[in-house]
Amino acid sequence: SGSTLLSAILKQNPAFHASITDPLATMVKGVIETSQEGPGMKYEVPLQRRLNVVKSLFDGFYQHIDKPVIFNTNRAWTLLTPQIDMIYPSARFIVCVRDIKWILDSFEVAHRKNPLTTNTVTGGLSGTVYSRMEALMTNEGIIGFPYLGIKQAITGNEKHKLFLLEYSNYRDWE
């Protein structure tokens, strides 16, 4: 929560590249998972070769960016902290956190502003407020998925590479 605002702030520095969520984390996860599948695949594709392939995704994805520091705001990175640590040992993670009830509330406020449509902003959900909240919080939900990733990252071996940045707004102060 707050990654769009953080990206806007970071982009003010000409040495930084920051963008809103893109598919790179999903691509990396897909390549890692695919290189593990199939009979004999673990032995046919050595670790260094898999590492090279995954690193080439980053190189290709950011080839057109001529800035020394890149921020990627995909919510899936917290699920991949061991892999990123192996590929880029100096990488760090800024994890925007916010009280989960306010995140859920922001989705419900967006839904109630336009209750005749269901779109990705409201989770693509209809029904009751309870069914919408439950769907948002599933392991695959737009809130539950990153929540599980953060829980994993803060208890993992790479937790020292995390910087938790609390996002709040005026309603949080009430």
Side-chain angles (χ1 to χ4, degrees):
S1 190
S3 58
T4 302
L5 175 61
L6 179 60
S7 289
I9 293 168
L10 292 170
K11 285 195 298 189
Q12 294 179 27
N13 185 324
F16 293 169
H17 170 78
S19 63
I20 298 178
T21 299
D22 59 51
L24 183 58
T26 305
M27 294 163 63
V28 168
K29 186 176 180 286
V31 167
I32 292 169
E33 289 171 350
T34 303
S35 70
Q36 301 293 322
E37 295 175 1
M41 186 61 87
K42 291 181 184 178
Y43 305 106
E44 292 174 21
V45 183
L47 176 62
Q48 187 58 51
R49 189 172 289 168
R50 281 182 286 174
L51 182 63
N52 293 344
V53 170
V54 173
K55 189 169 182 326
S56 73
L57 286 173
F58 287 90
D59 295 341
F61 198 83
Y62 290 116
Q63 185 175 17
H64 68 288
I65 304 297
D66 188 25
K67 300 198 177 191
V69 179
I70 295 175
F71 292 92
N72 185 297
T73 61
N74 192 300
R75 293 172 179 93
W77 292 122
T78 53
L79 292 166
L80 297 168
T81 54
Q83 293 83 357
I84 299 307
D85 186 48
M86 179 180 272
I87 300 164
Y88 293 105
S90 63
R92 299 295 180 264
F93 301 85
I94 300 174
V95 182
C96 297
V97 295
R98 183 179 184 195
D99 189 319
I100 205 154
K101 69 179 181 257
W102 289 116
I103 299 170
L104 289 165
D105 180 64
S106 68
F107 276 86
E108 185 59 19
V109 166
H111 173 75
R112 289 178 186 239
K113 282 183 181 174
N114 196 354
L116 299 177
T117 63
T118 55
N119 59 43
T120 57
V121 173
T122 61
L125 310 167
S126 58
T128 69
V129 64
Y130 305 105
S131 63
R132 286 190 294 276
M133 297 303 108
E134 187 174 304
L136 290 168
M137 287 303 299
T138 66
N139 290 351
E140 297 81 31
I142 197 165
I143 299 172
F145 169 69
Y147 177 69
L148 289 174
I150 291 170
K151 282 178 27 177
Q152 176 176 295
I154 63 175
T155 59
N157 292 336
E158 297 77 29
K159 63 185 170 201
H160 64 283
K161 295 184 172 226
L162 303 176
F163 175 75
L164 299 181
L165 179 61
E166 186 175 359
Y167 176 85
S168 63
N169 62 23
Y170 72 92
R171 290 180 4 175
D172 295 341
W173 303 333
E174 294 178 344

